């Protein structure tokens, strides 16, 4: 039964793929058609597996029914492809055509299940299924094949005639997938049975579904154009892999065929294993070919170095000129516009090459639409008509692109608020922005955020003198972010905190956000020091506000924040801290430990103190942290004390090299039941500060709160 692993595995994979595509945009007509096609393809693979196994068990009635159902699903899939090519890329509601196609399916059902003109039945010969074909089987398969041929021709015509390059790409991908599945179908279902007089490899027909559904899924989700260099490179990798697979498979077949007939049954399993092995070694092949071809990025590294080298202590004009020069020299962008938030909250145009309007209202519908698109910040013109979400507001978004004469719009956001809008026009070399450009712009986004924040504060504070870069950025950004915290209502929660850095810039931060009758408290430490840690902290804090506005649950927010750290912050960045949710009405505290080294809870009821942090996993090491984190709960009483400290506090050492004893902290907390949070915090910090001889070697944060 090893052969049936292929069709059954294909069935499960295609089911997952189909539902994934459908749930992304279920209201779109083309999405529904593609869903029907993929579902039909998945059922083809299922019925192929059932036919193969039932024939081996001599349950020929089941085999007969499965063969007929396979033929039906094949026609439905082919008709769906035809329907898609008629309407794609537009969303055409063609009710008359749909009725005709539905009628055609009804006729096929009658022919297949009420007559024996196509399939008479099945028989088993030496454990292998043999299809007994009716007198019109060849005509039936020719018509089914003709549907794919017609679909391909329609696709070719549309690809030639459409003006939009992204639609040319999508249509071409569908045509290629359709053509490949057609060739594969003819080879497996017709050429092999006719030439070799055997149905031994019938189960491989399930591969058709992979080719057809895979091309559709890839085409419909492709919203950006290819980078030709990358495309050629990937093609070479695929071709080499296929050659290697074919060579190994051919040699294996030759070796097996020299032994007994029974050994030949393990051939399909060996091919499956070979394919799995090739997938595993794919990364090594990739690296090897890169080394041979000396394949490397065209400009991302240079662009990133240029942007990072901009001196942000210079006046606004110099910062903007350097930024524009970097974009023009590396990406060949023209017609650049730069809007930055001013004192009254408008996006003011501080640089233009298109003489566009002086300012933009952030409440414009188009900005609201783009800002609300999750964590997406870079928008290509090709995506407006190809992205399922954006195309529902295509007219409004296209109008903005036209006004700015742009091909790309980048929104730099602080939370959900846009603080800078950068638009890039057509390229000097006439090329279209593609997925490589998109990746490049995503790569420099953290630096663009820093530039945006500086330009915004330069606008507000009228800073015109050159100052020390890190000290001034600490004042304009770090102090603004860290100390602009709205503390809880003292009548609900007596809350105090302190943060200190070793160099004026750091990654420690504390924040409190009220959510209805609860308070979200975040204490954390971003890895690193200086400007990098400080800017990562700003991005992280902004992301927290965005996730809260998206109304994610407590654990979901932490999981999404982990993804942002892993995917968007500089490589090697991680966050060590804790997320606390205090319910002042229910007198409960929920927390997720993300690597905080120490948390103390003093119970006024039990007159005892304990460390409650447990084990925690820092954020940023793995993409999916859901299985490593858990929500912990602590009941609180009036006058209970909670103290949290980062590793700068717990790991500090005296001049003699002695680590600060945590027992000192516990003794102070035990004697502080009748003191307020400020008094407790001052005592803790002063004691620690004197222990380290008033010299801070690492960033520290301390938080104290009591339920009022």
């Amino acid at each position: 039964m090893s052969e049936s692993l292929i069709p059954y595995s294909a069935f499960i994979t295609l089911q997952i793929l189909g539902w994934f595509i459908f749930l992304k945009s279920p209201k779109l007509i083309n999405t529904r058609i593609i869903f029907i096609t993929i579902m039909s393809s998945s059922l083809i693979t299922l019925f192929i597996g059932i036919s193969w196994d039932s024939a081996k068990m001599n349950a020929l009635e089941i085999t007969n029914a499965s063969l007929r159902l396979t033929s039906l699903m094949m026609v439905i899939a082919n008709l769906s492809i035809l329907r898609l090519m008629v309407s794609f890329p537009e969303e055409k509601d063609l009710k008359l055509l749909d009725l005709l196609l539905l009628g055609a399916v009804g006729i096929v059902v009658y022919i297949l299940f009420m007559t024996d003109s196509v399939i008479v039945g099945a028989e088993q010969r030496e454990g292998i299924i043999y299809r007994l074909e009716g007198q019109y089987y060849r005509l039936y398969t020719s018509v089914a094949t003709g549907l794919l041929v017609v679909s391909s021709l329609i696709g070719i015509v549309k690809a030639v005639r459409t003006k939009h390059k992204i639609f040319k790409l999508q249509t071409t991908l569908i045509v290629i997938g359709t053509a490949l599945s057609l060739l594969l179908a003819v080879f497996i279902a017709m050429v092999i049975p006719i030439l070799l007089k055997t149905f031994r490899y019938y189960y491989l027909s399930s591969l058709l579904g992979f080719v057809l559904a895979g091309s559709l899924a890839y085409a419909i989700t492709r919203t950006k154009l290819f980078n030709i260099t990358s495309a050629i490179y990937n093609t070479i990798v695929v071709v080499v892999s296929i050659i290697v697979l074919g060579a190994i498979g051919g040699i294996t077949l030759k070796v097996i065929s020299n032994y007994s007939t029974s050994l030949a049954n393990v051939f399909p399993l060996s091919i499956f294993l070979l394919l799995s092995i090739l997938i595993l070694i794919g990364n090594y092949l990739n690296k090897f070919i890169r080394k041979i071809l000396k394949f490397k990025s065209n400009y991302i590294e240079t662009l990133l170095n240029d942007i990072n080298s901009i001196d942000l202590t210079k006046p606004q004009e110099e910062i903007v000129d350097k930024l524009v020069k970097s974009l023009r020299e590396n990406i060949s962008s023209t017609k650049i516009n730069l809007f930055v938030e001013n004192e009254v909250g408008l996006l003011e145009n501080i640089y233009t090459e298109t003489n566009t309007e002086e300012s933009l209202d952030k409440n414009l519908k188009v900005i609201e639409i783009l800002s609300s698109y999750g964590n997406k910040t870079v928008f290509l013109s090709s995506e407006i008509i190809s992205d399922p979400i954006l195309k529902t507001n295509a007219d409004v978004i296209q109008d903005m692109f036209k006004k700015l004469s742009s091909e790309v719009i980048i929104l730099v956001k602080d939370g959900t608020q846009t603080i800078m809008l950068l638009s890039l026009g057509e390229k000097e070399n006439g090329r279209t922005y593609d997925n490589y450009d998109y990746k490049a712009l995503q790569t420099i986004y953290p630096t663009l955020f820093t530039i945006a924040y500086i330009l915004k504060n330069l606008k507000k504070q009228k800073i015109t003198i050159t100052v020390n870069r890190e000290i001034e950025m600490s004042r304009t950004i770090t102090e603004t972010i860290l100390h602009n915290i709205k503390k809880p209502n003292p009548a609900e929660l007596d809350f105090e905190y302190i943060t200190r850095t070793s160099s004026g810039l750091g990654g420690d931060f504390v924040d409190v956000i009220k959510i209805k009758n609860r308070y979200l408290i975040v204490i954390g430490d971003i890895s690193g020091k200086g400007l990098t840690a400080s800017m990562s902290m700003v991005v992280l804090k902004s992301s927290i506000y965005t996730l809260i506005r998206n109304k994610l649950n407590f654990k979901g927010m932490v999981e999404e924040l982990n993804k942002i750290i892993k995917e968007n912050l500089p490589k090697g960045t991680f966050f060590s801290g804790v997320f606390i949710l205090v319910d002042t009405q229910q007198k409960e505290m929920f927390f997720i430990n993300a690597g905080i080294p120490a948390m103390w809870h003093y119970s006024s009821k039990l007159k005892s103190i304990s460390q409650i942090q447990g084990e925690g996993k820092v954020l940023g090491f793995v993409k999916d942290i859901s299985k490593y984190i858990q929500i912990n709960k602590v009941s609180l009483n009036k006058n209970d004390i909670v103290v949290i400290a980062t590793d700068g506090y717990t790991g500090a050492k005296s001049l003699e090299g002695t680590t600060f004893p945590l027992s000192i902290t516990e003794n102070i907390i035990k004697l502080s039941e009748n003191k307020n949070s400020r008094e407790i915090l001052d005592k803790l910090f002063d004691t620690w500060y004197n222990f380290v001889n008033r010299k801070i070697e690492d960033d520290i944060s301390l938080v104290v709160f009591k339920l009022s």
Side-chain angles (χ1 to χ4, degrees):
M1 296 233 180
S2 59
E3 300 93 338
S4 57
L5 285 175
I6 295 178
Y8 292 147
S9 299
F11 169 71
I12 295 172
T13 304
L14 292 175
Q15 282 285 321
I16 295 171
L17 177 63
W19 284 106
F20 173 78
I21 295 295
F22 177 74
L23 293 176
K24 287 191 69 174
S25 50
K27 295 182 179 180
L28 298 180
I29 294 173
N30 288 335
T31 300
R32 294 175 185 175
I33 298 172
I34 290 175
F35 175 71
I36 292 172
T37 307
I38 296 177
M39 288 297 102
S40 302
S41 300
S42 72
L43 290 174
I44 289 173
T45 64
L46 175 64
F47 294 136
I48 287 173
I50 293 174
S51 300
W52 187 266
D53 286 341
S54 60
K56 281 197 168 188
M57 294 184 292
N58 211 30
L60 297 180
E61 289 186 4
I62 296 176
T63 307
N64 183 21
S66 298
L67 288 173
R68 295 172 191 262
L69 286 169
T70 302
S71 297
L72 174 62
M73 290 301 112
M74 178 184 69
V75 170
I76 292 176
N78 292 1
L79 288 174
S80 299
I81 289 289
L82 179 63
R83 171 64 175 84
L84 177 68
M85 296 313 303
V86 171
S87 64
F88 191 81
E90 296 84 7
E91 294 287 327
K92 292 181 180 179
D93 188 6
L94 305 174
K95 292 182 180 179
L96 179 58
L97 178 58
D98 291 339
L99 288 173
L100 290 173
L101 295 179
L102 190 60
V105 171
I107 294 172
V108 171
V109 170
Y110 175 81
I111 293 173
L112 286 173
F113 294 94
M114 304 303 292
T115 74
D116 292 333
S117 57
V118 175
I119 295 176
V120 175
E123 62 182 29
Q124 187 229 95
R125 302 175 193 169
E126 298 179 356
I128 299 173
I129 181 177
Y130 276 80
R131 180 178 58 235
L132 302 178
E133 301 170 356
Q135 59 178 329
Y136 295 118
Y137 178 80
R138 298 290 174 84
L139 176 61
Y140 178 87
T141 54
S142 297
V143 172
T145 302
L147 292 174
L148 291 182
V149 173
V150 172
S151 299
S152 299
L153 292 175
I154 294 174
I156 292 171
V157 172
K158 285 199 168 189
V160 172
R161 295 181 62 181
T162 185
K163 297 178 181 179
H164 300 290
K165 291 184 178 180
I166 187 63
F167 286 156
K168 284 181 181 292
L169 174 61
Q170 289 180 322
T171 307
T172 302
L173 288 172
I174 294 175
V175 170
I176 291 174
T178 303
L180 286 176
S181 64
L182 176 61
L183 292 174
L184 196 60
V186 171
F187 182 75
I188 295 175
M190 298 179 68
V191 174
I192 291 179
I194 292 173
L195 294 182
L196 304 181
K197 306 297 183 183
T198 181
F199 286 92
R200 173 175 289 278
Y201 305 113
Y202 173 72
Y203 62 92
L204 293 178
S205 300
S206 57
L207 297 176
L208 295 173
F210 271 125
V211 176
L212 190 60
S215 64
L216 288 176
Y218 186 69
I220 202 69
T221 55
R222 171 59 54 180
T223 59
K224 292 173 280 292
L225 297 171
F226 286 117
N227 171 260
I228 187 63
T229 307
S230 178
I232 293 173
Y233 163 76
N234 289 329
T235 301
I236 293 174
V237 173
V238 171
V239 170
V240 170
S241 299
I242 290 174
I243 292 173
V244 172
L245 174 62
I248 297 176
I251 294 171
T252 303
L253 176 61
K254 180 65 176 176
V255 171
I256 291 175
S257 63
N258 291 331
Y259 292 91
S260 65
T261 306
S262 60
L263 283 178
N265 291 326
V266 304
F267 173 67
L269 181 59
S270 66
I271 288 296
F272 178 78
L273 292 174
L274 286 172
L275 183 59
S276 300
I277 293 171
L278 279 176
I279 292 173
L280 290 175
I281 66 174
N283 289 333
Y284 297 100
L285 274 175
N286 191 303
K287 292 178 182 178
F288 178 75
I289 297 173
R290 279 179 182 270
K291 186 176 181 180
I292 296 298
L293 299 179
K294 297 182 178 180
F295 183 82
K296 60 182 180 179
S297 302
N298 291 336
Y299 67 79
I300 287 182
E301 187 175 344
T302 305
L303 174 63
L304 189 59
N305 290 335
D306 287 351
I307 296 291
N308 285 333
S309 68
I310 297 175
D311 189 348
L312 299 179
T313 65
K314 296 292 184 180
Q316 171 184 297
E317 291 75 14
E318 291 190 36
I319 295 174
V320 173
D321 286 344
K322 288 284 188 181
L323 173 62
V324 171
K325 183 180 179 182
S326 297
L327 296 171
R328 185 179 292 113
E329 290 182 350
N330 290 284
I331 312 180
S332 300
S333 300
T334 63
K335 300 179 181 179
I336 299 173
N337 286 289
L338 185 62
F339 296 81
V340 176
E341 184 183 34
N342 61 17
E343 312 83 49
V344 295
L346 294 175
L347 291 172
E348 182 180 342
N349 192 326
I350 63 172
Y351 182 88
T352 179
E353 295 178 357
T354 61
N355 297 318
T356 188
E357 51 246 61
E358 295 182 357
S359 63
L360 296 172
D361 188 342
K362 291 196 295 183
N363 294 320
L364 284 172
K365 183 180 179 181
V366 62
I367 295 181
E368 290 182 352
I369 292 170
L370 298 180
S371 297
S372 62
Y373 195 127
N375 293 321
K376 186 175 175 63
T377 55
V378 180
F379 300 87
L380 305 186
S381 60
S382 63
E383 294 180 292
I384 302 173
I385 53 177
S386 58
D387 185 283
I389 297 176
L390 295 179
K391 71 193 306 183
T392 57
N393 295 285
D395 292 341
V396 177
I397 302 173
Q398 282 179 327
D399 186 53
M400 168 66 85
F401 273 76
K402 288 178 182 177
K403 284 183 179 179
L404 299 178
S405 301
S406 62
E407 294 291 323
V408 181
I409 287 180
I410 306 164
L411 296 185
V412 179
K413 299 185 289 185
D414 183 2
T416 58
Q417 298 298 313
T418 300
I419 60 174
M420 186 172 85
L421 186 151
L422 174 64
S423 71
L424 309 178
E426 59 192 20
K427 291 188 176 185
E428 289 179 345
N429 54 23
R431 294 182 179 178
T432 306
Y433 290 90
D434 54 32
N435 60 345
Y436 184 86
D437 301 307
Y438 183 84
K439 180 181 178 182
L441 294 170
Q442 281 188 312
T443 301
I444 66 170
Y445 180 81
T447 308
L448 289 179
F449 180 89
T450 304
I451 293 173
Y453 211 94
I454 291 296
L455 292 177
K456 174 185 173 182
N457 283 279
L458 285 174
K459 292 291 297 178
K460 290 183 176 181
Q461 301 172 17
K462 308 296 183 183
I463 300 173
T464 57
I465 60 173
T466 301
V467 289
N468 180 276
R469 180 180 182 181
E470 292 199 351
I471 294 177
E472 282 307 307
M473 289 201 64
S474 175
R475 292 176 183 173
T476 58
I477 298 177
T478 308
E479 289 185 3
T480 300
I481 294 297
L482 284 178
H483 302 300
N484 187 22
I485 296 174
K486 188 176 182 180
K487 292 183 181 180
N489 183 349
E492 296 178 335
L493 194 68
D494 179 15
F495 175 93
E496 292 295 341
Y497 74 97
I498 189 170
T499 60
R500 290 290 185 269
T501 63
S502 58
S503 62
L505 283 168
D508 272 34
F509 78 94
V510 176
D511 203 2
V512 184
I513 306 164
K514 186 168 185 180
I515 309 172
K516 295 183 179 179
N517 64 322
R518 295 179 173 185
Y519 288 98
L520 174 66
I521 302 171
V522 184
I523 306 100
D525 175 16
I526 287 285
S527 60
K529 299 181 185 295
L531 180 59
T532 301
S534 183
M535 289 301 96
S536 295
M537 177 203 68
V538 174
V539 174
L540 186 64
K541 185 170 182 179
S542 172
S543 299
I544 292 173
Y545 278 82
T546 301
L547 295 173
I548 290 174
R549 291 189 182 98
N550 289 339
K551 298 181 179 179
L552 289 176
N553 60 43
F554 188 36
K555 187 177 180 183
M557 180 198 70
V558 177
E559 291 172 0
E560 287 300 315
L561 199 62
N562 175 74
K563 291 180 182 178
I564 291 172
I565 295 171
K566 184 67 176 175
E567 297 174 0
N568 297 324
L569 293 185
K571 187 176 181 180
T573 300
F574 61 88
F575 170 84
S576 175
V578 65
F579 300 85
I580 301 172
L581 200 59
V582 180
D583 191 324
T584 57
Q585 292 185 5
Q586 300 297 324
K587 296 184 178 181
E588 294 175 333
M589 179 180 83
F590 304 90
F591 70 90
I592 294 175
N593 185 0
I596 199 73
M599 286 179 64
W600 292 273
H601 171 227
Y602 173 76
S603 171
S604 59
K605 185 176 181 180
L606 301 176
K607 307 299 181 183
S608 64
I609 187 170
S610 59
Q611 286 199 44
I612 60 173
Q613 72 273 8
E615 294 185 0
K617 199 78 171 180
V618 298
L619 306 188
F621 273 114
V622 293
K623 285 187 177 181
D624 183 7
I625 202 168
S626 58
K627 60 184 178 181
Y628 298 108
I629 60 175
Q630 62 180 3
I631 299 177
N632 302 283
K633 176 183 175 182
V634 176
S635 296
L636 299 176
N637 298 294
K638 186 176 180 179
N639 289 327
D640 279 13
I641 303 170
V642 177
V643 176
I644 306 104
T646 58
D647 58 0
Y649 178 89
T650 58
K653 294 184 178 181
S654 65
L655 288 176
E656 293 78 21
T658 305
T659 303
F660 182 66
L662 298 185
S663 58
I664 295 177
T665 302
E666 294 175 356
N667 290 332
I668 293 173
I669 296 172
K670 287 180 183 178
L671 299 173
S672 302
E673 181 178 342
N674 297 320
K675 296 180 180 180
N676 61 37
S677 293
R678 172 48 62 187
E679 292 172 327
I680 300 171
L681 182 67
D682 289 344
K683 181 65 175 177
L684 288 170
F685 180 76
D686 290 344
T687 304
W688 176 87
Y689 199 36
N690 289 326
F691 179 85
V692 298
N693 200 35
R694 309 181 72 81
K695 185 177 181 181
I696 299 176
E697 297 290 345
D698 194 7
D699 305 337
I700 77 154
S701 291
L702 265 176
V703 169
V704 179
F705 65 83
K706 300 178 68 176
L707 202 62
S708 301

